[in-house]
Amino acid sequence: MIDPLIDELVGDLRPIKPMQNWFAWALAMLGFTAISAFVILYYGLREDFGLAMSSGTIIWKNGGLMLAALAAAIATITLSRPHTAPPRTFIIAILSVLLGVIGWRLLDLARQSSLFYEVTHVNFGGAGICIPVIIGGGILVFGTIWLLWLNKSASQNPRELGAAAGLLSGLLAASAYAFHCNMDNIFYFIFVYWLPIIGFGVFGYLIGAKLKW
């Protein structure tokens, strides 16, 4: 015998399409492509792009940001589902490489000058463009990811998910702008690039509490 109460309760249920990882990757790539196109068309590539490429600056600066974005994307995707966790070993390895690059640049700078002098005499001439682009692009990416991905998530760690998505958004915007920026001082990189990125992570962590399921 079928219970009419059960029929009534389940009568309005509709199947929900499962989240597809490729869609999250597509959102990230679309955001990066859109910001990169804006930066290149409006500001142009850095004038010394060829020299920056041959000297390895593009590798450590742009590549470091992209590696961190890769780790943030993986964390965002895996944290979006219950009973899942990011591959910590892989993410730690990526972040270790990034910290190693920053340490290497600091050591290289210390051989040439006083770090105290360098940190107190950073040329912030490009910050007036860099920071607004990172913040504006990051907001655009985070808003898109929030509406089209995070709102459909079922995370047991919503704050951590929000933080990962926030970091991803800031990193994608920073990676895109780095193709124009020729300010390669490591302290400029830390203050002007990473402080807004970390700010996005903190913002994502705070707003992540709204991701209820």
Side-chain angles (χ1 to χ4, degrees):
M1 179 178 178
I2 299 177
D3 190 332
L5 178 59
I6 295 178
D7 281 346
E8 184 177 346
L9 290 174
V10 302
D12 293 332
L13 292 180
R14 297 290 182 271
I16 298 176
K17 293 182 179 179
M19 301 174 73
Q20 301 293 331
N21 289 351
W22 68 263
F23 186 61
W25 288 112
L27 288 176
M29 286 303 301
L30 181 62
F32 174 73
T33 302
I35 300 171
S36 297
F38 168 77
V39 168
I40 293 173
L41 292 174
Y42 192 80
Y43 298 108
L45 284 174
R46 54 187 296 168
E47 295 178 355
D48 62 341
F49 188 83
L51 179 61
M53 179 68 76
S54 61
S55 67
T57 300
I58 297 296
I59 296 176
W60 74 259
K61 184 179 180 182
N62 299 57
L65 291 168
M66 289 181 179
L67 271 178
L70 174 62
I74 293 173
T76 299
I77 291 172
T78 52
L79 284 169
S80 297
R81 297 178 175 85
H83 307 297
T84 58
R88 295 186 183 277
T89 302
F90 179 71
I91 291 178
I92 290 173
I94 289 178
L95 296 181
S96 298
V97 170
L98 178 62
L99 291 175
V101 167
I102 293 176
W104 162 60
R105 296 306 302 166
L106 287 171
L107 180 61
D108 186 59
L109 184 61
R111 291 170 178 167
Q112 305 171 34
S113 178
S114 163
L115 288 183
F116 178 78
Y117 175 85
E118 293 293 336
V119 77
T120 55
H121 291 80
V122 180
N123 179 5
F124 289 108
I129 299 175
C130 183
I131 293 177
V133 171
I134 293 177
I135 293 177
I139 290 173
L140 176 65
V141 174
F142 188 81
T144 302
I145 293 176
W146 181 276
L147 291 173
L148 301 179
W149 182 263
L150 298 182
N151 273 340
K152 304 177 188 303
S153 65
S155 177
Q156 290 180 298
N157 303 284
R159 287 189 179 274
E160 287 79 1
L161 172 59
L167 290 171
L168 173 61
S169 303
L171 284 162
L172 290 175
S175 299
Y177 183 75
F179 284 102
H180 166 75
C181 178
N182 62 355
M183 307 294 288
D184 302 326
N185 180 283
I186 188 60
F187 288 115
Y188 182 95
F189 182 66
I190 292 172
F191 294 145
V192 177
Y193 279 80
W194 276 99
L195 286 184
I197 291 169
I198 292 172
F200 270 106
V202 172
F203 171 76
Y205 181 84
L206 296 175
I207 199 174
K210 295 182 179 295
L211 295 172
K212 305 296 184 180
W213 60 285

